[in-house]
Amino acid sequence: MMESVGMYGLCGCAAKSKMKCDSRWEIPASETAPTSAYSSPARSLGDTGITPLSPSHIVNDADPNVSEQQTFLVVVAIDFGTTSSGYAYSFTKEPECIHVMRRWEGGDPGVSNQKTPTTILLTPERKFHSFGYAARDFYHDLDPSEAKQWLYLERFKMRLHTTGDLTMDTDLTAANGKKVKALEIFAYALQYFKEQALKELSDQAGSEFENSDVRWVITVPAIWKQPAKQFMRQAAYQAGLASPENSEQLIIALEPEAASIYCRKLRLHQMIELSSKAAVNGYSSSDTVGAGFAQAKEHIRRNRQSRTFLVENVIGEIWSELEEGDKYVVVDSGGGTVDLTVHQIRLPEGHLKELYKATGGPYGSLGVDYEFEKLLCKIFGEDFIEQFKIKRPAAWVDLMIAFESRKRAAAPDRTNPLNITLPFSFIDYYKKFRGHSVEHALRKSNVDFVKWSSQGMLRMSPDAMNALFKPTIDSIIEHLRDLFQKPEVSTVKFLFLVGGFAEAPLLQQAVQAAFGDKCRIIIPQDVGLTILKGAVLFGLDPAVIKVRRSPLTYGVGVLNRYVEGKHPPEKLLVKDGTRWCTDVFDKFISADQSVALGELVKRSYTPAKPSQLVIVINIYSSEHDDVSFITDPGVKKCGTLRLDLTGTSGMAVPARREIQTLMQFGDTEIKATAVDIATSKSVKVGIDFLNY
């Protein structure tokens, strides 16, 4: 039996199918398609693959199954942040009530503890010990010599954004310098949230809550590349939140989309409008909601400890000013990244359409921490700071906690200095390291705006603190300016500022000064929980976002009839007297193209050799739109459909066998299917960016 291959550089009967194959079929599998125009995967395989049937393009069918949702008792959303994380949930019978997780143990002075730090601690044997405040405090209390044996990790989420060649084997480095698998750490963290949420739900219900009752939603930055988004799904599978067989139980939500979904539900008393200079947070007696709802809202307002938010299931007053087709921007500024999304409202249901692909960059509040670290290096020397972090890791954590609290006190109109307490071990270790005092270092450093207080503190002038914010805020403003130049964005009515960093008055003022004349700038109350609450709403109704932009170009490799003068001579393949052009990229969808939720794009192909009984169709992606061949630079293989038609030889099969290939877009993930029309045999695959 001979196997057929599409134009992808991988033998259909290669190692994965564990079948023996003739050596002339074998070629090395590479993660990226060869960049040389002269290497042809198809030719090296020595056989033809699939060729388009004419007409081949059938687009925009809606998948009839897309609306069939599994029923769950509760939706739990996990906002897995760079600096802090949390979860919230809503029972599907009471979708207007969103419960935010219980208060965490621990917490910091001067810092709201609605979420817990994204920190994790493993024992010296590399077993999970604790997460969040508990991990940080336990690590802090360890004896320094003992602490070196434990694996403490923080801010590890950024690794998924910054790693260009992310795989299932990517490593993270703990505070003690030891390496650990990233997948393991993310799975431990998600397992922790799973256990916390199920315990809380069981306590509330008074009986054991099963994981199968829960639909999970995990938030990721929209600007993450596809491998990072898939990595989170794999970590969730490993943590037991869902399984590949029941993938619908887990939704990967995009952070600014989640925020956008929540913002569209807001009423004016739930927002702060920057241009009005004052918080509009009173509960108006003229609210048009029912009396029962008003009473419940009043109860929640009075009960300061309540972790429940009521979402008013009507279009809020904000939409009374919006007309069909109006646009708004969501700026999601978190710890690691800033994500920008442009949405258009569709009335009367309030469905959302993504107008411009998500943009942003690593301009989160961590940038302010890095500037502070640079300042310390300037005063005390880079060599000392590096050594201090290694030798006294717990004290370094202490110092950054002290800085975090003062960072939140920074404001444009502040006049009095900000004091940052230096841990005793910092002062002590510096004296041993340099042979002179911290005070001496400050005098010698020529940093005028940071003084030494006799009470053991660094005294920073307000200008000095503001200067630490400037590079990060400048990057955000510059990125927004570029965005507002785009024709799709030039007429936005509102700019919603959300995410933890949106609480910073300095960022608020900068955004208002730069864009206040272009649109109304609005910050939801409890701005740090906007994404979490929106993610719950998204889990309750995933169909709310009707149109998205495709981040990549997708297609399959095929053979086309060779056209002299049009096709490169090195792509010519003559088989059984027919002249073929190999390695042609047959495009399904282009980068930045609008796709509706559940949109199916179909193509019909036929085996170039009618007797083929195994059809292998490999799927490719590229960030570029102008792709001609699968050997073009930057084209990557991301899926394989292997349709085995053995055992169908007795059936009546037409001379030109039709293999229909379908790709479903519009969701945060993409699925592909191949169907043999004559026999109805089919095979499905999820697009995979980590294993090719």
Side-chain angles (χ1 to χ4, degrees):
M1 181 193 84
M2 302 274 277
E3 291 212 350
S4 94
V5 282
M7 310 296 96
Y8 317 101
L10 256 186
C11 170
C13 55
K16 278 191 179 174
S17 61
K18 296 187 172 58
M19 293 174 69
K20 290 182 180 173
C21 55
D22 191 300
S23 61
R24 69 196 171 94
W25 295 98
E26 292 177 355
I27 63 162
S30 78
E31 192 176 314
T32 306
T35 50
S36 159
Y38 295 92
S39 59
S40 166
R43 183 175 309 180
S44 62
L45 288 168
D47 193 49
T48 54
I50 54 167
T51 182
L53 266 179
S54 187
S56 74
H57 293 203
I58 316 163
V59 193
N60 292 358
D61 282 19
D63 183 353
N65 301 319
V66 81
S67 59
E68 285 181 25
Q69 297 285 335
Q70 215 173 324
T71 52
F72 299 97
L73 296 179
V74 68
V75 169
V76 179
I78 299 170
D79 180 6
F80 196 125
T82 304
T83 50
S84 62
S85 299
Y87 68 86
Y89 59 92
S90 177
F91 294 99
T92 47
K93 285 183 177 169
E94 303 179 278
E96 71 284 352
C97 284
I98 298 175
H99 309 268
V100 177
M101 70 283 159
R102 294 178 186 147
R103 290 190 176 278
W104 302 98
E105 292 172 22
D108 295 329
V111 178
S112 153
N113 63 340
Q114 290 166 320
K115 294 188 194 169
T116 196
T118 309
T119 53
I120 195 165
L121 183 64
L122 306 189
T123 66
E125 296 75 42
R126 294 174 175 255
K127 293 278 181 278
F128 175 80
H129 179 271
S130 48
F131 186 90
Y133 287 117
R136 203 192 63 193
D137 295 345
F138 186 92
Y139 179 65
H140 173 269
D141 292 339
L142 285 169
D143 182 83
S145 60
E146 200 183 347
K148 287 175 193 166
Q149 307 307 313
W150 290 67
L151 286 85
Y152 178 76
L153 296 103
E154 59 181 354
R155 300 174 182 175
F156 48 86
K157 182 182 166 191
M158 276 302 278
R159 184 87 163 89
L160 299 194
H161 180 66
T162 55
T163 304
D165 54 348
L166 184 69
T167 70
M168 305 288 265
D169 294 321
T170 295
D171 285 328
L172 297 173
T173 306
N176 61 1
K178 289 183 181 172
K179 300 258 190 241
V180 62
K181 289 269 176 288
L183 190 68
E184 210 174 293
I185 294 300
F186 280 85
Y188 274 145
L190 291 171
Q191 194 175 347
Y192 167 81
F193 281 116
K194 175 190 161 190
E195 287 167 7
Q196 292 284 316
L198 287 176
K199 184 176 186 305
E200 183 168 343
L201 288 166
S202 298
D203 288 352
Q204 257 205 343
S207 60
E208 200 65 28
F209 225 87
E210 297 295 328
N211 187 63
S212 56
D213 296 329
V214 180
R215 160 165 270 164
W216 297 95
V217 182
I218 300 174
T219 63
V220 301
I223 54 166
W224 268 11
K225 295 202 182 308
Q226 296 303 111
K229 293 173 186 173
Q230 186 187 331
F231 187 94
M232 284 302 267
R233 180 168 278 277
Q234 294 301 326
Y237 288 161
Q238 192 161 313
L241 272 68
S243 65
E245 298 73 41
N246 192 14
S247 60
E248 290 75 22
Q249 191 178 357
L250 170 68
I251 296 174
I252 301 293
L254 309 181
E255 287 164 2
E257 278 194 358
S260 178
I261 290 163
Y262 183 70
C263 286
R264 88 193 217 301
K265 293 273 193 184
L266 290 172
R267 296 176 79 83
L268 287 178
H269 64 251
Q270 296 167 305
M271 304 182 222
I272 299 160
E273 188 169 349
L274 284 188
S275 54
S276 69
K277 302 291 181 201
V280 185
N281 56 10
Y283 287 92
S284 163
S285 58
S286 62
D287 272 349
T288 55
V289 291
F293 204 104
Q295 283 170 1
K297 194 165 61 178
E298 182 61 22
H299 169 74
I300 283 172
R301 188 173 74 85
R302 284 182 177 162
N303 179 2
R304 296 269 177 216
Q305 296 304 305
S306 173
R307 315 301 299 144
T308 304
F309 294 88
L310 285 162
V311 178
E312 303 185 8
N313 226 357
V314 291
I315 301 295
E317 282 112 326
I318 201 77
W319 303 125
S320 64
E321 298 178 37
L322 277 175
E323 295 162 8
E324 173 76 29
D326 277 346
K327 309 165 188 175
Y328 64 95
V329 178
V330 176
V331 181
D332 168 22
S333 43
T337 53
V338 166
D339 246 353
L340 313 172
T341 309
V342 186
H343 277 155
Q344 189 172 39
I345 192 82
R346 288 177 159 192
L347 300 174
E349 302 92 349
H351 288 148
L352 303 176
K353 174 182 179 180
E354 186 181 13
L355 282 186
Y356 187 76
K357 66 181 178 188
T359 61
Y363 320 129
S365 61
L366 280 186
V368 185
D369 297 3
Y370 293 139
E371 289 299 316
F372 178 60
E373 196 175 318
K374 272 161 62 178
L375 177 65
L376 292 176
C377 288
K378 190 175 175 185
I379 297 168
F380 302 108
E382 200 173 328
D383 55 343
F384 167 72
I385 296 298
E386 286 309 308
Q387 276 301 303
F388 179 69
K389 284 161 91 173
I390 294 164
K391 300 287 189 198
R392 303 283 189 275
W396 175 255
V397 170
D398 257 4
L399 176 54
M400 292 314 288
I401 291 169
F403 174 68
E404 178 69 26
S405 152
R406 304 323 297 140
K407 178 172 94 176
R408 288 169 184 260
D413 51 358
R414 190 182 175 102
T415 53
N416 56 323
L418 297 111
N419 293 330
I420 297 159
T421 307
L422 282 183
F424 172 74
S425 62
F426 185 100
I427 299 163
D428 181 55
Y429 190 64
Y430 184 78
K431 194 158 177 65
K432 286 176 184 164
F433 191 87
R434 287 270 190 257
H436 57 246
S437 69
V438 163
E439 192 178 353
H440 176 80
L442 272 161
R443 276 203 308 272
K444 297 280 282 185
S445 69
N446 297 324
V447 178
D448 296 334
F449 41 75
V450 181
K451 305 288 182 204
W452 177 247
S453 153
S454 56
Q455 294 161 311
M457 295 176 179
L458 293 178
R459 284 174 73 79
M460 288 185 77
S461 72
D463 288 348
M465 179 61 88
N466 296 0
L468 300 181
F469 280 77
K470 193 175 186 315
T472 305
I473 288 176
D474 285 354
S475 296
I476 295 170
I477 299 299
E478 188 183 337
H479 204 90
L480 269 167
R481 278 215 174 93
D482 289 346
L483 186 67
F484 270 89
Q485 297 301 314
K486 311 287 182 214
E488 302 94 328
V489 189
S490 56
T491 55
V492 297
K493 270 202 176 178
F494 296 101
L495 184 154
F496 288 103
L497 197 53
V498 304
F501 194 26
E503 294 171 2
L506 289 163
L507 177 59
Q508 294 175 4
Q509 187 200 46
V511 171
Q512 175 63 29
F515 306 104
D517 58 339
K518 292 184 173 65
C519 56
R520 283 172 63 190
I521 293 154
I522 288 173
I523 305 169
Q525 292 179 14
D526 267 330
V527 65
L529 297 175
T530 305
I531 291 153
L532 196 47
K533 292 182 269 182
V536 174
L537 293 173
F538 185 50
L540 291 165
D541 179 17
V544 64
I545 303 228
K546 291 294 184 192
V547 181
R548 280 194 176 84
R549 295 271 170 169
S550 175
L552 298 171
T553 296
Y554 290 97
V556 300
V558 298
L559 294 171
N560 275 348
R561 292 298 176 110
Y562 188 83
V563 179
E564 204 74 51
K566 176 188 172 188
H567 293 135
E570 67 274 8
K571 296 289 184 189
L572 173 64
L573 178 73
V574 181
K575 197 74 182 167
D576 300 331
T578 305
R579 289 158 61 85
W580 298 102
C581 177
T582 68
D583 308 328
V584 175
F585 187 104
D586 192 36
K587 195 184 292 183
F588 271 64
I589 203 159
S590 298
D592 206 27
Q593 186 176 330
S594 279
V595 279
L597 178 73
E599 184 168 310
L600 284 177
V601 180
K602 298 181 190 176
R603 300 278 187 276
S604 289
Y605 301 101
T606 190
K609 188 175 179 183
S611 60
Q612 289 170 194
L613 288 176
V614 176
I615 316 289
V616 176
I617 302 170
N618 283 1
I619 302 159
Y620 281 91
S621 67
S622 171
E623 291 183 12
H624 308 292
D625 187 18
D626 52 342
V627 186
S628 303
F629 298 99
I630 62 158
T631 50
D632 288 353
V635 176
K636 292 189 176 181
K637 190 173 136 189
C638 58
T640 301
L641 289 161
R642 186 177 183 279
L643 196 54
D644 189 342
L645 303 177
T646 49
T648 61
S649 51
M651 297 182 182
V653 174
R656 277 172 75 74
R657 190 160 206 153
E658 183 181 353
I659 307 295
Q660 201 174 76
T661 304
L662 307 90
M663 288 180 78
Q664 184 181 316
F665 297 95
D667 200 353
T668 49
E669 283 136 316
I670 293 154
K671 299 177 181 74
T673 310
V675 184
D676 176 37
I677 297 302
T679 63
S680 297
K681 270 201 165 187
S682 69
V683 62
K684 292 185 179 183
V685 68
I687 303 298
D688 186 345
F689 293 93
L690 292 171
N691 295 308
Y692 284 101

